[in-house]
Amino acid sequence: MPRLNRQNIDRKTNKPNPVKTEGLTDDLLLNRALQTRRDDDVIRTRQRTIYEIDFAIKWFIDNEIQPQINANGETINVPVIFANGEKWDNVRRLGYLRDEKGMLQSPLIMLKRSTVQERDEQRTLDVNRPNSANYIVCKTKYNSRNRYEDELFPIPKYEPQQSEKFYIVDIPKYVTIEYELLLWCDFTKQMNELVDQILPYGRFSWGNEGNKFPATIGSISFETVNTVGEDRLVRATIPLTVLATLLSEQEARMSTVKKMYSIKKVVFETAIDVGFNIFETTQIPVQLLQMQSVITSGGIISVAGGGSSSSINAVAMNYITNLTEKLATYLNTTTVTITSFAAVNPVTTTVATKNEFDIYINGQYIDKVVYTWTPSDIASQTIVFDTAELGYTLSATDVIVVKGRWA
């Protein structure tokens, strides 16, 4: 099976070394789109090694359990050491440990790691070409692309981008680690006190901050060590099973923590020329109506005409096509009122103008020079007609309809 060849890559052509690394087919090309720089962030690549698990277990015994015994009326802290090669060799041959002066070390607790085995119920799929979707996704709340510039007034300096930052973490190894706690004391009473202090933590999570793992204490065995010419020692062996996880900083020469951004969308903007300002009339261009499906699905259309150009999105398109009718109320022979409010243009953020409404009296269109009216979005509408231009006065039986962009 071919694999990624990371040696001698030509950055211009993105071609690997022609020498095949394995298999009979060509090597795979590196996907530069999946490589995001991480020298500009502060997220540290965490790792959890066997050493850190050993340190966490020993830290828990020293700082949480704090084993102590009473000897000659004094309270003595029992030291905890880890079984390295030389110390464990002495314990295996002699059954006890001596210091540099040849004295027996008692009381003492020695921590020895016996086995490390991957858990059967939570095995990961380890193949030569790992699945790119086999990871944990962590979304960050803070994104440098959408940061706020002012602490007192959190107003974005620039228009926020539709971008989210993610950190991709590989699936860790779920392992079971077997430890042995070897305890030495001078007397059985001291050993009983020491075991009594450790037993209540049998179902606790052992470890320090950031590294805590469920632990289980097994069957405890006791024995007496008799040496010629020396005092006897009482020894106990406590098996400890720890359910932990392992995650190295790099796997297969690749970082286990990667940074990615949300998928970007390429938007193609279409421009049409209608010959007039679409916000100065109730007429909707046919070219714009033909592009309505594109706009409602997320596209943006640039409309030019009347010496201006506007970008029309779904919100603006709804404003342009939403033409409704309101019935006016007769006030006197020259004036009518309407209790509705005019809409606000989402493109210009101003109130709809007089040119965005049409007035009909008894079904006949009335030219805009005949009446005076300034649309308002906060108060009722008052329309005053010039009866000299109109040619007649209004009556209470007239049906006056105003069609346009109402809120």
Side-chain angles (χ1 to χ4, degrees), residues 277-298:
N277 191 341
I278 58 176
F279 297 124
E280 292 295 333
T281 179
T282 57
Q283 180 182 355
I284 304 176
V286 178
Q287 303 96 310
L288 186 60
L289 292 176
Q290 293 174 347
M291 304 297 296
Q292 186 172 5
S293 60
V294 178
I295 297 174
T296 54
S297 61

Side-chain angles (χ1 to χ4, degrees), residues 108-237:
L108 178 68
I109 296 178
M110 177 179 287
L111 179 64
K112 173 183 175 292
R113 176 177 13 95
S114 302
T115 61
V116 177
Q117 183 180 4
E118 188 175 4
R119 277 180 258 173
D120 293 334
E121 67 275 11
Q122 290 179 308
R123 286 184 179 271
T124 57
L125 180 61
D126 294 326
V127 293
N128 292 345
R129 189 185 300 175
N131 186 3
S132 59
N134 191 24
Y135 45 64
I136 301 174
V137 180
C138 302
K139 178 181 176 182
T140 60
K141 295 183 179 179
Y142 171 78
N143 188 351
S144 58
R145 297 185 177 184
N146 296 331
R147 65 177 180 267
Y148 293 96
E149 299 296 335
D150 198 323
E151 296 181 357
L152 297 178
F153 303 97
I155 301 176
K157 185 176 181 180
Y158 303 103
E159 185 70 20
Q161 302 180 20
Q162 297 297 326
S163 176
E164 295 179 345
K165 184 189 296 183
F166 301 92
Y167 283 91
I168 311 300
V169 184
D170 288 355
I171 301 295
K173 295 284 186 182
Y174 295 89
V175 296
T176 300
I177 303 180
E178 299 288 346
Y179 291 96
E180 286 185 358
L181 294 178
L182 304 178
L183 287 65
W184 286 275
C185 293
D186 294 329
F187 303 102
T188 303
K189 180 180 179 181
Q190 295 176 346
M191 179 61 69
N192 293 340
E193 294 177 357
L194 196 57
V195 172
D196 289 340
Q197 297 175 39
I198 298 176
L199 275 180
Y201 296 90
R203 292 290 179 179
F204 279 46
S205 292
W206 292 37
N208 52 7
E209 294 183 1
N211 291 309
K212 288 190 176 182
F213 315 100
T216 305
I217 295 178
S219 300
I220 305 176
S221 61
F222 299 89
E223 61 178 315
T224 302
V225 180
N226 293 317
T227 59
V228 179
E230 298 287 348
D231 295 335
R232 78 171 181 180
L233 293 177
V234 180
R235 187 175 74 177
T237 302

Side-chain angles (χ1 to χ4, degrees), residues 3 10 38 46 80 88 213 224 245 269 274 289 293 296 354-355:
R3 65 181 180 184
D10 187 350
R38 291 203 51 213
R46 298 294 300 272
V80 181
W88 174 244
F213 315 100
T224 302
T245 57
E269 184 173 316
V274 297
L289 292 176
S293 60
T296 54
K354 170 184 174 181
N355 295 328

Side-chain angles (χ1 to χ4, degrees), residues 318-319 322-326 338-345 351-352 356-357 373 375-379 381 402-407:
N318 181 66
Y319 169 81
N322 188 22
L323 299 175
T324 56
E325 296 180 354
K326 300 294 181 180
I338 300 177
T339 56
S340 300
F341 300 148
V344 177
N345 191 326
V351 184
E356 298 181 70
F357 296 89
W373 171 37
S376 173
D377 62 333
I378 58 175
Q381 317 299 322
V402 180
K403 181 181 180 180
R405 298 184 174 104
W406 299 99

Side-chain angles (χ1 to χ4, degrees), residues 328-340:
T329 302
Y330 174 82
L331 186 62
N332 53 48
T333 58
T334 61
T335 308
V336 296
T337 59
I338 300 177
T339 56
S340 300

Side-chain angles (χ1 to χ4, degrees), residues 82-93 97 110:
F82 199 84
N84 56 24
E86 294 79 6
K87 294 179 181 179
W88 174 244
D89 181 66
N90 293 333
V91 172
R92 183 177 57 83
R93 289 187 297 102
L97 189 65
M110 177 179 287

